[in-house]
Amino acid sequence: SSGINAEYGLGSKTEHVKKFMTSVREYDVQHRPTFIDTLSENETIEATLSWCFKDTAHPVSTAMGNAQFNFYQRIVLLNKKLYMASTQEEKEALIPGIQAEVEAITGDVSEFVSNLCRVLFSLYCNNEESWIVPQTKLSDQFYKPFLAQLLETYNFLNQEDMVVFRRYIAEHGQVEIQNFPNIKQKYHLGEAPYQAAIECLLALTETCSPLTKFRLLISFGETIMNCIKDFYLQSGHSEEEANEVSCLGADDLMPISIYIVTRAARPELVSELQFLNDVSHEDDLTGQEGYCLATVQSTFANIIGRERESQNSSSAL
């Protein structure tokens, strides 16, 4: 993975980074728009990063563009192998190699973004609190040119699980919440329950930004509890009563999550979640983001596992 980063001046060697940062500073001195100097500190960071990304001659923009093209080409070559495989047996034989290359690509992507983010922070940010600015900007911009193709590769790798999930949706997708197992009556919430949580989950597929996807995962659990709280407040209960009933334990959260995931009816979310897991550093998965990701992944695993067991039991009869 050091090759892709070294090629664009962001390798592990100190001289690579120093050389890259020097080229950025020299370009900034000559070309930085003067209006940026009139802005507040936070506005200056935002405006400078926006300019860096949009100015195609800027070293940051050039490094990003070259890396994006590199990743796009690598992913397209993988998918081309899949298209050229004429039989299911040929495709299955490709799985180990495709899996290994996807892991290499996501590792390179993660390292490149992390290194570039640190460089941007060093160049343009004055305090630890402003770290989120380059992190958000990069997350919003970097993945757009190749994420759709990468998720297509993930869909191939996850096709067995996705087929099982589609079968489950076909059978249970229109079942009312009252008929879902293990959901207590107090959590049924009348007509069209948990719609806000369903929409939160669906929004994962509408953004290319991993950071935004993680924020949506965090919001997912919070939105479930807010749906319950709002329902009871609107039903005339006190704030204390609504807070108490909306405080969910794992035994109550899982069946409700299964209902929501089923109603969302998006098998490709399996690939979205796997992408987030693969593109994240281990440190990123030890906090709230990692917990929320693991919770939603376990919901899908629960559904897929139970559906497989059901199919196996039916086949044995």
Side-chain angles (χ1 to χ4, degrees):
S1 64
S2 60
I4 180 71
N5 287 277
E7 184 176 351
Y8 305 128
L10 295 168
S12 57
K13 294 183 178 180
T14 304
E15 60 265 27
H16 290 150
V17 178
K18 285 184 176 179
K19 184 177 180 180
F20 180 77
M21 291 178 70
T22 298
S23 68
V24 172
R25 289 192 179 101
E26 290 175 350
Y27 190 91
D28 287 358
V29 168
Q30 297 180 35
H31 302 283
R32 188 168 179 259
T34 56
F35 81 89
I36 292 178
D37 297 326
T38 67
L39 303 175
S40 66
E41 182 177 331
N42 287 339
E43 290 174 333
T44 297
I45 298 171
E46 289 270 359
T48 301
L49 291 175
S50 295
W51 166 64
C52 288
F53 296 156
K54 290 179 181 178
D55 183 348
T56 56
H58 196 286
V60 170
S61 179
T62 300
M64 278 184 57
N66 288 337
Q68 287 168 326
F69 182 73
N70 178 290
F71 294 130
Y72 176 83
Q73 288 289 90
R74 289 167 66 182
I75 296 163
V76 166
L77 286 174
L78 284 186
N79 290 341
K80 187 176 180 180
K81 289 181 183 179
L82 299 177
Y83 295 142
M84 293 179 68
S86 57
T87 66
Q88 186 61 30
E89 289 75 15
E90 290 178 355
K91 290 182 178 181
E92 289 177 358
L94 291 172
I95 290 177
I98 298 290
Q99 181 68 61
E101 183 59 22
V102 166
E103 290 175 2
I105 289 171
T106 53
D108 287 351
V109 168
S110 179
E111 183 181 355
F112 181 87
V113 171
S114 178
N115 287 347
L116 184 54
C117 191
R118 282 197 292 269
V119 167
L120 293 174
F121 177 78
S122 298
L123 286 167
Y124 301 124
C125 300
N126 298 321
N127 56 69
E128 291 294 330
E129 293 179 359
S130 57
W131 168 261
I132 192 64
V133 180
Q135 190 180 39
T136 300
K137 284 282 188 183
L138 267 178
S139 190
D140 289 344
Q141 295 291 325
F142 189 73
Y143 298 86
K144 290 179 181 179
F146 59 83
L147 183 57
Q149 289 76 20
L150 181 56
L151 289 173
E152 189 177 337
T153 313
Y154 273 109
N155 288 342
F156 166 75
L157 294 173
N158 293 315
Q159 61 182 330
E160 289 187 7
D161 284 348
M162 291 170 68
V163 167
V164 173
F165 188 70
R166 287 191 184 95
R167 193 163 56 225
Y168 176 85
I169 292 172
E171 184 175 353
H172 302 281
Q174 299 304 315
V175 173
E176 297 297 332
I177 193 169
Q178 294 84 351
N179 298 318
F180 263 74
N182 303 319
I183 301 180
K184 297 173 182 175
Q185 185 175 358
K186 63 181 178 180
Y187 296 128
H188 290 173
L189 308 190
E191 295 184 9
Y194 303 103
Q195 189 58 40
I198 294 170
E199 292 172 1
C200 184
L201 201 58
L202 292 174
L204 276 170
T205 65
E206 298 171 2
T207 176
C208 291
S209 166
L211 196 61
T212 301
K213 291 178 189 290
F214 270 118
R215 288 170 179 165
L216 287 166
L217 284 176
I218 292 171
S219 295
F220 176 67
E222 295 172 349
T223 304
I224 291 174
M225 290 185 283
N226 287 337
C227 285
I228 297 169
K229 180 179 178 179
D230 291 345
F231 174 81
Y232 278 92
L233 286 175
Q234 292 168 12
S235 300
H237 290 74
S238 68
E239 183 88 16
E240 183 179 355
E241 291 170 331
N243 284 331
E244 183 178 352
V245 75
S246 64
C247 187
L248 298 172
D251 290 343
D252 289 321
L253 180 60
M254 177 58 73
I256 295 171
S257 297
I258 288 174
Y259 168 79
I260 294 167
V261 165
T262 304
R263 283 287 178 162
R266 289 288 179 87
E268 61 268 28
L269 282 167
V270 174
S271 295
E272 292 272 3
L273 298 173
Q274 187 62 49
F275 160 70
L276 286 179
N277 186 83
D278 291 350
V279 83
S280 301
H281 287 284
E282 288 186 12
D283 292 345
D284 297 330
L285 298 177
T286 57
Q288 188 178 19
E289 291 85 355
Y291 173 78
C292 293
L293 174 61
T295 298
V296 180
Q297 282 184 308
S298 67
T299 303
F300 276 90
N302 188 305
I303 292 171
I304 292 167
R306 290 197 306 176
E307 182 63 18
R308 280 204 171 101
E309 288 180 5
S310 175
Q311 291 297 316
N312 291 337
S313 298
S314 299
S315 300
L317 296 177

